[in-house]
Structure formats: structure tokens, C-alpha cells
């Protein structure tokens, strides 16, 4: 399962990237579930498929990881905003949940600092890559809404994700991703 994920990230030029180091090896599995789809490894979704907040479930790959992690942070980011050809607003911050207890099974058990904003690529934009990133929080980690940014639409653009993760000492432990297109987008489904 990890091999398929890593291969899909490499083929999409996400591994390595600003947020996913070249030596990344997941220690948590993530499962993303929307009412009509469960995207994984870059599968394609349309705007209407992801309109509602998903369930993000996770599990430690080994029991050592489960016991050594105090709490977790989840980010949902778009590195392709406003379009993959002109990502001048990357990273678009779609969702931030912190203080997820290590023993939790779902991200919803944490503290939502940025409400879920459904992906909404335009039909003419082409597929955007959407990253669900799970991070291990260091001991004493505390951030508030003011440390993330505002909820307004334009306040979510150009989120300095790499800098933010580095500033707070977050360690990437799990990734899942999907490609999103508008409902009217016409193209190859398996691009």
C-alpha cells in the first residue's frame, strides 16, 4: 500500500516537494471518505463529489508509532491554485485540524482551525492535486486560528505551508491525495 502511494506521489511530481521530503516513508495510513467517493493515490474527483466535509480516518502502521505520537495535525492543501499552469496562489489552505489525539481514529476529534472549504477548480483549469497531510506534533505544540490565517476566501490563498510546518516543528507521518476537476471538465478520466 505504501509503495503504491509513494509511486503515485512521484509520478505527480509531489515527491519530493516543499512538504514531502525525498526520504518520506509513511508511518500512518490515511483513508479519505466522502459520501460518494473514497479517493486515494491521485484518483479523480469532481467538485460535486467533494462538496461535503469528508471523514479522514488514520491508523499507525506500527504500534511503536501509535505510542510515540503525542498528537497530530491535518492539512488539506492545493498546490495548483488557481490553475496547475499558474499556481501563483499555492498553497491554497482548504482545511486545518490540530491537536488530534494520538489514539483518535478520525481527524474530526481534533481542533478545527480552518473550516473545510470544498475544492472548487474551474472546468477549464484541468486537474488540481489536493494533499491530505498528517503531521506529528512536537511536545508542547499549541497554535490558534491567528497562527494559521483567516477564514475568508482570499485569506486562504498563498498559505506558506512549508514555512509554517517548519516553524512549528511538525513531522510528516502520513499522506493521501486526489486530483480534482470541475463538474463540467472534459478530459481523460485517468490522466
Amino acid at each position: 500500500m505504501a509503495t503504491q502511494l509513494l509511486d503515485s506521489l512521484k509520478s505527480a511530481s509531489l515527491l519530493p516537494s516543499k512538504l514531502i521530503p525525498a526520504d518520506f516513508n509513511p508511518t500512518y495510513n490515511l483513508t479519505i471518505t466522502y459520501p460518494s467517493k473514497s479517493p486515494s493515490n491521485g484518483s479523480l474527483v469532481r467538485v460535486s463529489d467533494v462538496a461535503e466535509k469528508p471523514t479522514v480516518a488514520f491508523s499507525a502502521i506500527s504500534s511503536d508509532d501509535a505510542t510515540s505520537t503525542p498528537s497530530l495535525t491535518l492539512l488539506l492543501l492545493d498546490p495548483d491554485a488557481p490553475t496547475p499552469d499558474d499556481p501563483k496562489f499555492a498553497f491554497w489552505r482548504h482545511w486545518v485540524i490540530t491537536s488530534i489525539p494520538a489514539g483518535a481514529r478520525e481527524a474530526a476529534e481534533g481542533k478545527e482551525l480552518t473550516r473545510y472549504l470544498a475544492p472548487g477548480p474551474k472546468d477549464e483549469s484541468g486537474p488540481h492535486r489536493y494533499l491530505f497531510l498528517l503531521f506529528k506534533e512536537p511536545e508542547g505544540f499549541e497554535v490558534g486560528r491567528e497562527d494559521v490565517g483567516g477564514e475568508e476566501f482570499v485569506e486562504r490563498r498563498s498559505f506558506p505551508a512549508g514555512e509554517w510546518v517548519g516553524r512549528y516543528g511538525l513531522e510528516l507521518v502520513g499522506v493521501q491525495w486526489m486530483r480534482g476537476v470541475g463538474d463540467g471538465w472534459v478530459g481523460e478520466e485517468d490522466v
Side-chain angles (χ1 to χ4, degrees):
M1 187 159 151
T3 302
Q4 289 177 330
L5 171 64
L6 295 173
D7 288 346
S8 72
L9 291 167
K10 287 176 188 170
S11 70
S13 300
L14 292 167
L15 176 65
S17 65
K18 288 181 183 179
L19 293 170
I20 307 173
D23 63 351
F24 173 67
N25 190 26
T27 55
Y28 277 77
N29 290 318
L30 271 70
T31 303
I32 314 304
T33 307
Y34 287 94
S36 65
K37 295 236 179 179
S38 291
S40 65
N41 301 341
S43 57
L44 193 72
V45 296
R46 295 193 178 267
V47 168
S48 58
D49 295 327
V50 296
E52 294 179 40
K53 184 188 302 188
T55 298
V56 178
F58 51 85
S59 60
I61 293 172
S62 81
S63 58
D64 290 343
D65 293 318
T67 58
S68 69
T69 303
S71 56
L72 301 161
T73 287
L74 176 78
L75 302 178
L76 170 55
L77 303 171
D78 176 0
D80 298 323
T83 69
D85 294 332
D86 182 23
K88 63 187 174 196
F89 297 140
F91 287 91
W92 196 279
R93 179 174 38 91
H94 282 270
W95 203 14
V96 177
I97 302 174
T98 63
S99 305
I100 305 165
R105 294 286 174 236
E106 294 183 6
E109 295 181 45
K111 185 167 92 176
E112 191 174 58
L113 298 185
T114 298
R115 290 186 312 270
Y116 178 75
L117 174 67
K122 305 289 184 223
D123 292 345
E124 61 278 1
S125 169
H128 286 227
R129 299 165 299 169
Y130 293 93
L131 295 167
F132 291 85
L133 303 157
L134 189 67
F135 295 91
K136 177 181 175 180
E137 297 174 355
E139 288 291 334
F141 176 78
E142 285 188 42
V143 296
R145 283 189 167 88
E146 67 281 358
D147 299 310
V148 178
E151 291 279 345
E152 296 300 319
F153 190 74
V154 296
E155 293 174 316
R156 291 170 177 254
R157 68 183 181 196
S158 303
F159 178 61
E163 176 188 312
W164 191 82
V165 165
R167 180 182 326 132
Y168 294 108
L170 298 171
E171 177 189 339
L172 186 65
V173 295
V175 176
Q176 195 46 267
W177 74 288
M178 63 189 182
R179 291 173 303 120
V181 295
D183 285 337
W185 180 76
V186 177
E188 289 184 49
E189 293 293 317
D190 295 324
V191 174

